[in-house]
Amino acid sequence: MPAAVDPRTRNLGPVILLGPPGAGKGTQAKAIVARFAVPHISTGDILRDNRARGTELGKRAAAIMDRGELVPDELVCDMVADRLRQADCAPGFVLDGFPRTVKQAEWLDAYLAGSKCAPAVVVCIKVDYNELLRRLTGRRTCPACGRIYNVHFQPPRVSGVCDVDGSKLVARPDDSEEVIAPRLKAYETQTLPLVEYYTRSGRLRQVDGAAPVEQVTAQVMKALEA
Ligand code: AMP
């Protein structure tokens, strides 16, 4: 039987998961979705989907993503606007990987105010650099069900194969060692200023992302209730 949907869904509103690549934003977004039944909006997933479908946006983003750099703000903001206009976002949504620059955060604030949405609650997941490297180099994903594994500390039962549906697990091309460094650098220089941005407006909650995954989820849920 599916888990009961939390009756507070109607009041969840916008949630932003902030944190470096490998912090566990995707995993925590899935936990929020399971509890509150709101959409999970991952800009990285939408861009990868556009690449796979060969859209104009996907073609423009491909080389930038392969270098571990950020796709221009206007492209990403337009893409997010398209998604937020869909009816399923009305009760709330979880943004994973957006905003990533102060420009994007300012755009989002203006968009939410213009749409008469509540201001977003921002949950920042903190993890240190060496742990991020270990997580990113070991990350494997099931292309069929999206379940995330790690060869170092959360391996599948059979090496390289999804426990749930038996699909062959894949590593993201940008989880290669050469691309991880520029991605973490982009986080430090372009995304970290958002911690200050959201602290100033009193909307930031910090959680310790190095704790075991269930404990991180408990901290995230507490932050959303606060
Ligand atoms: P992610 O799956 O969130 O790690 O994103 C993968 C890649 O997509 C990033 O390294 C960027 O190239 C691009 N990307 C995702 N979200 C954004 C964003 N909000 N702004 C700019 N580029 C993004």
Side-chain angles (χ1 to χ4, degrees), residues 122-126 195 199 203-209 219 223:
V122 185
V123 181
C124 179
I125 308 177
K126 286 178 68 176
V195 170
T199 301
R203 283 179 279 160
L204 192 86
R205 324 258 194 273
Q206 306 246 24
V207 303
D208 171 18
Q219 292 178 61

Side-chain angles (χ1 to χ4, degrees), residues 43-189:
T43 43
D45 284 349
I46 302 175
L47 288 166
R48 280 184 287 277
D49 176 60
N50 273 273
R51 281 187 77 162
R53 289 186 292 115
T55 67
E56 203 47 49
L57 170 63
K59 285 182 198 152
R60 289 181 70 179
I64 301 170
M65 294 171 78
D66 289 344
R67 290 196 300 271
E69 296 168 6
L70 295 188
V71 174
D73 292 330
E74 316 77 69
L75 291 184
V76 182
C77 292
D78 284 352
M79 183 181 96
V80 171
D82 279 349
R83 183 64 188 88
L84 296 186
R85 273 195 288 269
Q86 293 174 29
D88 63 337
C89 291
F93 47 86
V94 186
L95 286 168
D96 159 8
F98 183 92
R100 251 172 156 109
T101 65
V102 171
K103 275 244 163 65
Q104 293 178 14
E106 289 169 346
W107 173 89
L108 182 66
D109 278 348
Y111 180 92
L112 294 176
S115 315
K116 310 248 180 307
C117 279
V121 171
V122 185
V123 181
C124 179
I125 308 177
K126 286 178 68 176
V127 178
D128 77 37
Y129 192 88
N130 287 336
E131 176 65 12
L132 291 174
L133 284 183
R134 211 161 76 93
R135 290 186 183 186
L136 291 168
T137 53
R139 177 157 68 180
R140 301 290 181 274
T141 312
C142 172
C145 72
R147 180 149 175 192
I148 301 164
Y149 298 85
N150 190 290
V151 296
H152 305 306
F153 47 82
Q154 204 184 356
R157 281 195 292 272
V158 178
S159 173
V161 176
C162 180
D163 293 348
V164 180
D165 53 38
S167 302
K168 194 169 176 305
L169 301 179
V170 293
R172 272 172 50 171
D174 61 350
D175 280 344
S176 66
E177 299 209 12
E178 321 75 83
V179 190
I180 288 172
R183 285 171 68 208
L184 291 175
K185 184 91 196 144
Y187 178 77
E188 220 175 278
T189 57

Side-chain angles (χ1 to χ4, degrees), residues 8-15 32 36-38 91-94 118-119 121 224:
R8 283 163 296 185
T9 298
R10 244 178 278 141
N11 303 321
L12 186 68
V15 175
I32 298 172
F36 294 100
V38 291
F93 47 86
V94 186
V121 171
L224 295 183

